[in-house]
Amino acid sequence: MATSIFKFSSSLINTSKNYRCVLRLINKRNISTTSVTARKEKDTFGELDVPDDKLYGAQTVRSVMNFPIGGIEERMPYPVIVAFGILKKAAAKVNIEYGLEKKIADAIMQACDDVISGKLYREGHFPLVIWQTGSGTQSNMNTNEVIANRAIQILGGKLGSKDPVHPNDHVNKSQSSNDTYPTAMHIAVAMELRDRLMPGLVALRDTLQAKSKDFERIVKIGRTHLMDAVPLTLGQEFSGYAAQLSYGVERVCATLPRLHYLALGGTAVGTGLNTRIGFAEKCAAEIAALTGIPFETAPNKFEALACHDAMVEVSGALNTIAVSLMKIANDIRLLASGPRCGLAELMLPENEPGSSIMPGKVNPTQCEALTMVAAQVMGNHVACTVGGSNGHFELNVFKPMIVSNVLRSIRLIGDGCQAFNKNCAVGIKANEVQIAKIMRESLMLVTALNPHIGYDKAAQIAKTAHKEGGNLKDTAIKLGILTAEQFDQWVKPEDMLGPK
């Protein structure tokens, strides 16, 4: 019965109708073939038609058929594919020491360079989506097939022949999907943190620090609970924003020691079956040399395969940065609200028209974009948390979802900070006239009188002034609590900025 079902399934997937369906699925992923001609390739389930102009093989086609989820928008992230190219190149080089023929290893490494450069990704040889097996096995085999066939091309062989380069025996030598995919996760995230996140985050932090210095002599009213509070400088307020991002940088850096541990060498369940002594350490050293990042082999491969706490930790740091950015962007847009009927303490760059019906309206669009980024990153972290908590026995099977969300968070924060910095933060100006006007009208300056007349009398002055619509000085004199000279001596906003 089982045999007959298998034969029926094999014949079904090889009909011309089903082949056309596969081609349509591939086309939907924006990697259309230049012709409908195909070659035959086989895996352990049987023979399949593979587009002649593609380097992948039967397992990739089978995954395209089985997981038509989301289309091109859900393709495996580019940094993961680059990371696969790096780790396969490292493994090929190390495997020369363990019996891999140098001619084959050199061809594999040359093929890996085409993966690392992005050439083969752009040409559509990596069509698989995130939503596949949770170990990322199909993407590992997609990579193995592409590299093997490219190496076969380099050596003058026939595509799909697996001769002289075999995707499993040579490209995947001493490896398993269960250790290569988490290795690719760590490589991809570490590189993107360095190259995509940090430039934008640090640039925005530096701008906010510069603004803090520029605004250090501008005294303004503070606000707690959205209500008037005691004075501070605008520079002090901005110093808080800069410190949040400095701590964000530190939080990301604190995750790196665990992120730099690589699972490669653990193979199927963490024991290192089918590897050789020294393989894991040498591969990690080679990957470190290729990337300029201090990767090392994970001291416990069972942890490296069965869970992704390091990814959840990175995502948590990104989530905290998102929280910081939400607060900073919200403060800035509220302080810039107006221009006539809001706080209007800040003036933001005017980048584009703000309304299709209200002429002349300009909105804090960069703040809005950054807060949406922050919200998305928070959602990504929820997904990473759920995925990370579902490692069962020797393998976590939420790997593609976890890494795709971490990479998206990195990309969004990095790009969001760059855009906000360039199009908003560097152009922020203080509206000193409005700041001074609001501060003079604040009743909370009365706090400076506490040491001189006590809390209760100071409260009486403030409440009376608020009820009658007066100011603090006139009300204090009217109530007979202070003289004009005493008020002027004791209530000085510039003297209320720190400990005495």
Side-chain angles (χ1 to χ4, degrees):
M1 180 67 177
T3 302
S4 62
I5 291 174
F6 175 75
K7 288 180 178 177
F8 174 74
S9 300
S10 296
S11 62
L12 179 65
I13 61 177
N14 278 295
T15 64
S16 60
K17 178 181 178 182
N18 278 276
Y19 175 59
R20 287 194 298 272
C21 288
V22 173
L23 291 183
R24 283 198 296 273
L25 288 169
I26 292 172
N27 290 341
K28 286 181 180 179
R29 296 182 191 181
N30 200 32
I31 48 171
S32 58
T33 56
T34 55
S35 70
V36 294
T37 60
R39 65 181 183 273
K40 298 289 185 182
E41 288 208 29
K42 66 169 63 174
D43 59 13
T44 56
F45 269 62
E47 205 170 58
L48 285 174
D49 291 308
V50 178
D52 270 336
D53 64 340
K54 297 305 173 197
L55 294 174
Y56 50 74
Q59 289 200 46
T60 300
V61 171
R62 200 176 298 282
S63 183
V64 171
M65 296 169 63
N66 289 339
F67 301 100
I69 304 172
I72 187 173
E73 295 83 4
E74 299 297 319
R75 281 175 77 188
M76 191 61 63
Y78 172 66
V80 173
I81 303 304
V82 171
F84 261 117
I86 291 169
L87 77 89
K88 296 293 180 181
K89 182 176 182 178
K93 184 175 181 179
V94 171
N95 273 324
I96 296 173
E97 300 180 39
Y98 299 110
L100 182 61
E101 186 180 346
K102 188 175 186 303
K103 180 179 73 171
I104 292 176
D106 287 344
I108 289 173
M109 287 189 282
Q110 186 178 337
C112 287
D113 287 336
D114 287 341
V115 176
I116 296 168
S117 70
K119 177 179 182 292
L120 299 183
Y121 189 86
R122 291 189 298 272
E123 291 176 355
H125 301 288
F126 294 93
L128 303 190
V129 294
I130 298 160
W131 316 110
Q132 52 168 278
T133 178
S135 61
T137 298
Q138 279 100 35
S139 282
N140 180 44
M141 280 310 303
N142 180 189
T143 305
N144 290 332
E145 290 174 341
V146 168
I147 291 172
N149 273 326
R150 179 70 187 106
I152 288 170
Q153 279 185 334
I154 292 167
L155 294 173
K158 180 183 178 182
L159 284 186
S161 66
K162 301 182 182 179
D163 181 31
V165 183
H166 194 285
N168 296 79
D169 297 336
H170 299 134
V171 182
N172 202 60
K173 181 178 172 62
S174 296
Q175 302 156 56
S176 162
S177 298
N178 296 353
D179 66 348
T180 57
Y181 197 91
T183 298
M185 291 170 70
H186 281 225
I187 294 170
V189 169
M191 291 177 67
E192 287 292 283
L193 286 175
R194 179 192 64 189
D195 300 335
R196 195 76 177 262
L197 176 81
M198 285 301 180
L201 187 59
V202 170
L204 180 55
R205 187 274 312 273
D206 291 347
T207 294
L208 294 175
Q209 283 182 337
K211 291 295 177 182
S212 175
K213 184 70 175 176
D214 293 343
F215 299 153
E216 65 182 355
R217 298 187 182 280
I218 301 174
V219 182
K220 56 161 286 179
I221 202 65
R223 296 176 181 86
T224 58
H225 305 272
L226 297 180
M227 308 298 284
D228 299 351
V230 295
L232 76 166
T233 68
L234 186 59
Q236 288 171 326
E237 194 165 38
F238 268 70
S239 75
Y241 306 150
Q244 281 186 278
L245 297 192
S246 288
Y247 297 150
V249 170
E250 292 175 9
R251 288 185 180 98
V252 170
C253 291
T255 71
L256 297 181
R258 273 79 59 199
L259 184 63
H260 291 163
Y261 287 150
L262 299 182
L264 194 60
T267 62
V269 297
T271 60
L273 178 67
N274 287 353
T275 65
R276 302 285 291 276
I277 294 172
F279 173 80
E281 292 77 8
K282 290 176 180 179
C283 282
E286 188 62 32
I287 291 168
L290 289 170
T291 60
I293 295 172
F295 291 112
E296 55 185 295
T297 190
N300 189 305
K301 303 297 191 301
F302 306 102
E303 187 272 348
L305 272 61
C307 71
H308 288 299
D309 293 352
M311 284 287 135
V312 178
E313 184 182 13
V314 171
S315 183
L318 298 172
N319 185 64
T320 304
I321 292 170
V323 170
S324 298
L325 293 174
M326 181 73 82
K327 186 265 192 294
I328 293 166
N330 273 332
D331 274 13
I332 288 173
R333 67 172 161 184
L334 290 171
L335 290 171
S337 61
R340 296 291 181 85
C341 302
L343 296 179
E345 291 187 354
L346 296 180
M347 295 178 290
L348 307 184
E350 298 183 352
N351 296 325
E352 63 272 312
S355 174
S356 62
I357 189 172
M358 293 175 280
K361 193 173 191 297
V362 179
N363 298 324
T365 53
Q366 287 294 321
C367 296
E368 292 166 4
L370 195 59
T371 52
M372 287 192 288
V373 162
Q376 183 61 58
V377 171
M378 294 173 194
N380 293 346
H381 182 53
V382 172
C384 288
T385 302
V386 173
S389 68
N390 276 277
H392 303 136
F393 303 122
E394 278 63 63
L395 190 67
N396 178 290
V397 289
F398 282 74
K399 299 182 194 301
M401 184 275 287
I402 292 171
V403 72
S404 64
N405 276 285
V406 173
L407 289 171
R408 189 181 189 200
S409 292
I410 291 170
R411 184 172 67 250
L412 288 175
I413 293 176
D415 292 357
C417 286
Q418 290 278 26
F420 186 82
N421 183 58
K422 176 183 176 182
N423 299 315
C424 181
V426 296
I428 293 174
K429 296 179 180 178
N431 186 347
E432 296 189 50
V433 173
Q434 176 71 356
I435 288 171
K437 176 179 180 294
I438 291 174
M439 188 178 63
R440 286 194 303 270
E441 295 173 352
S442 174
L443 300 177
M444 289 303 99
L445 296 178
V446 77
T447 307
L449 296 175
N450 286 355
H452 304 286
I453 63 175
Y455 183 94
D456 291 339
K457 287 184 179 180
Q460 181 186 359
I461 294 171
K463 286 180 174 293
T464 302
H466 181 56
K467 182 178 180 180
E468 296 179 355
N471 61 52
L472 291 176
K473 182 176 180 178
D474 291 343
T475 301
I477 295 170
K478 177 183 175 181
L479 293 173
I481 297 175
L482 293 175
T483 65
E485 291 75 14
Q486 287 174 318
F487 187 92
D488 291 339
Q489 180 182 355
W490 294 335
V491 181
K492 296 179 179 180
E494 63 274 14
D495 291 339
M496 300 173 67
L497 305 176
K500 297 295 185 185

